[in-house]
Amino acid sequence: MLTRAITGLFFIIVLIGALLLGEVVFTLFFSLVGLGALYEFYGIVKSEANKPNVWLGMLSALTLAILIGLHCIGYIPFKYVWLFIPMISLIFIVSLYQKRALPFNDIGYTLLGIMYACIPFLFFVALGFISGTFNHYIPLGFLIILWANDTGAYLSGRSFGKHKLFERISPNKTWQGFIGGVLFAMLIALNLEQYFGSLAKWEWVTMATIIGIFGTLGDLVESMLKRSLNVKDSGNILPGHGGLLDRFDGLLIAAPLVFLFLLMLQ
C-alpha cells in the first residue's frame, strides 16, 4: 500500500510538471508515454499466433508523434502529418516477406496497437493546442476531471454499490459507482472555469460528462483486453499500479472524443 501511494504521488507530480514546463516538454513527454503504452500493448498481445511487427509499429508511431508534435508547436502545416501514411503501407508490404501463417493477425495487431495505445495520447497532446496556441489548462483540467471521476466512482461504489455495471469484465464496478464518478467529475468541472478559464462553464461540464462516461468505458475496454489475454497488468513500470495502459485506460477513449467536442466549438 505504501509503495502504491508513493508511486501514485510521484506519478501525479511528474504529470503536472510535464504540463507546466512548457509546450516542448509537454509534447515530448506525452508522446513518449504513448510510445511506451504502445510497447506495452505489443508485449502483452505477442504470442505464437500473433506477432505484431514491433519495430515497424514503433517506428510508425514515432513518425506520427514527431509530425503531430511539430505541427502543434507550429513548425509544419498539418498537410505534412499525412507523411505518416507510407509507414502504414510498409506494415502491409513487410508482411509479404515474413512468411507467417497468419500475416493479417500480425498486421491487425500492429495497426490496432497504434490506434488504441498510441494515437489517444497524440489527441491528448493536441488538446494543449486546441485554441491555436499552447494552453496547459485544458489538458490539466482533463486529468483533474479524470482523477475526480475515478475518485468519485471508488467512493460511491464502495459506499452504495449494489448493481454490477459489467460483471463479466470488471466484477467490482457498479452502476452506483459509475453515476457517482460522473457526478463528482461534473462537480469538479463546475469550478474549473473559475480557476482555469479557457472554456465556458458548460463546456467544462460537458467535457466532464464525456470523460466520466467514456473514461469508465475505456477502463472496461482495457480490462476486457487483459482478460482476453489472461494478464493481470499491462506492465510493471509503475510499482503497485501496473503499466501505462493500466494508469491511462480512461484516457484512451475519452481523449479523442473530448478533442472532437472542443474542435467542433472552434
Side-chain angles (χ1 to χ4, degrees):
M1 183 62 72
L2 180 61
T3 299
R4 180 179 175 87
I6 293 173
T7 301
L9 178 62
F10 178 75
F11 179 67
I12 291 172
I13 291 172
V14 170
L15 293 184
I16 294 177
L19 281 160
L20 299 180
L21 288 175
E23 59 184 17
V24 174
V25 174
F26 166 72
T27 302
L28 181 61
F29 178 81
F30 283 98
S31 297
L32 289 174
V33 172
L35 291 171
L38 176 60
Y39 188 76
E40 278 188 359
F41 177 87
Y42 287 151
I44 62 175
V45 302
K46 189 175 182 180
S47 68
E48 187 59 37
N50 309 309
K51 289 188 177 180
N53 195 321
V54 177
W55 71 269
L56 190 51
M58 293 294 294
L59 183 60
S60 299
L62 176 62
T63 300
L64 180 60
I66 290 172
L67 292 172
I68 288 180
L70 290 174
H71 167 68
C72 287
I73 295 173
Y75 285 107
I76 62 173
F78 185 76
K79 65 180 181 180
Y80 289 105
V81 174
W82 297 111
L83 291 174
F84 163 71
I85 290 177
M87 301 300 299
I88 298 298
S89 301
L90 271 178
I91 292 172
F92 288 88
I93 295 168
V94 167
S95 291
L96 289 171
Y97 298 92
Q98 292 180 323
K99 300 179 181 179
R100 293 271 297 153
L102 299 171
F104 271 87
N105 281 20
D106 304 340
I107 293 170
Y109 275 110
T110 303
L111 296 176
L112 177 61
I114 297 171
M115 181 175 69
Y116 172 70
C118 182
I119 287 180
F121 287 96
L122 303 184
F123 275 107
F124 183 75
V125 168
L127 280 176
F129 301 86
I130 192 73
S131 59
T133 57
F134 179 60
N135 180 354
H136 68 270
Y137 285 117
I138 294 177
L140 178 58
F142 181 104
L143 291 179
I144 290 173
I145 292 169
L146 187 63
W147 296 333
N149 178 66
D150 290 343
T151 302
Y154 172 77
L155 294 176
S156 56
R158 186 173 182 179
S159 301
F160 310 108
K162 292 182 179 179
H163 302 90
K164 301 298 183 182
L165 179 62
F166 259 100
E167 189 171 9
R168 176 175 60 88
I169 301 299
S170 184
N172 295 325
K173 283 192 173 8
T174 63
W175 277 102
Q176 289 78 10
F178 170 63
I179 294 170
V182 174
L183 292 177
F184 189 59
M186 294 171 68
L187 177 64
I188 295 298
L190 279 171
N191 296 283
L192 291 181
E193 187 271 338
Q194 178 182 351
Y195 297 103
F196 288 2
S198 306
L199 301 173
K201 188 168 291 187
W202 75 269
E203 293 170 338
W204 280 115
V205 173
T206 304
M207 181 172 160
T209 305
I210 295 171
I211 293 171
I213 294 172
F214 292 98
T216 302
L217 291 172
D219 187 331
L220 289 167
V221 167
E222 202 254 351
S223 294
M224 180 173 65
L225 171 67
K226 291 189 294 186
R227 279 184 174 271
S228 67
L229 298 170
N230 197 30
V231 297
K232 183 179 184 295
D233 296 318
S234 65
N236 55 13
I237 192 172
L238 300 169
H241 289 265
L244 295 173
L245 289 173
D246 296 319
R247 291 305 92 207
F248 287 101
D249 49 12
L251 177 148
L252 298 177
I253 292 180
L257 295 176
V258 169
F259 176 83
L260 179 61
F261 163 66
L262 295 180
L263 184 65
M264 292 297 103
L265 299 178
Q266 300 303 307

